Amino acid sequence: MPALKNLKHEAFAQNCALNMPSSQSYRDCVSGGKCSEKTAEVEGSKLAKSPKIALRIEELRAKVAEKADRKFDMSKDKWLERLARIAASAEEVADFSAATGALREIGRGAGHYAPEKVEHSGATEIVIRKL
C-alpha cells in the first residue's frame, strides 16, 4: 500500500507504527496541538481503527520489524535463545527478578500467554430497567 494521500493521516500512521499513543499522535499530526486531551483520546482511537489507517499502521510496523531484524540480526529464534541465556545468567547470580522477567518474555514469544477462546452455548437475556 502506498503512503496515505492525506499527509496528516500518513504522519499519524507513522507515529503510531513507532508505538506513539494514538492520542499523542493525533494531537501532534492531525490537530496541531489544538484539541483537548479527551478529544485527542477519542479521535485518535477512532482514526487508528479506521480501515485504511489501521492497514497502513500494520504495514509500517512490519517494515520497522523487518529493518530491526536485519539491523540487529534478531529473528524470533535468536531472540528466544538470547532470552534463555539471560534467564540462565540471572539465575546463576540469584537475580530471580531478572530471570522471571526473561522467562515471561520467552513465554510470550512462544505464545503461552495467548488469550483463551471461550465458547458459550445457550441464550443470553439482557434486561434493562429504567430507574
Side-chain angles (χ1 to χ4, degrees), residues 108 111-118:
R108 284 186 184 142
H112 295 301
Y113 291 102
E116 291 182 26
K117 182 177 181 181
V118 178

Side-chain angles (χ1 to χ4, degrees), residues 7 47 85 88 117 120:
L7 297 179
L47 193 56
R85 286 193 308 272
K117 182 177 181 181
H120 299 275

Side-chain angles (χ1 to χ4, degrees), residues 24-71:
Q24 184 64 45
S25 201
Y26 184 86
R27 290 188 92 192
D28 292 353
C29 301
V30 180
S31 77
K34 297 178 183 175
C35 69
S36 69
E37 188 66 33
K38 179 72 174 168
T39 299
E41 287 176 17
V42 171
E43 296 302 319
S45 178
K46 276 195 231 177
L47 193 56
K49 292 176 186 173
S50 72
K52 286 183 181 179
I53 293 176
L55 179 63
R56 181 68 176 149
I57 290 169
E58 287 308 310
E59 179 183 76
L60 291 168
R61 283 184 177 154
K63 287 181 181 179
V64 168
E66 183 182 324
K67 284 183 180 181
D69 283 350
R70 279 189 308 219
K71 182 175 181 179

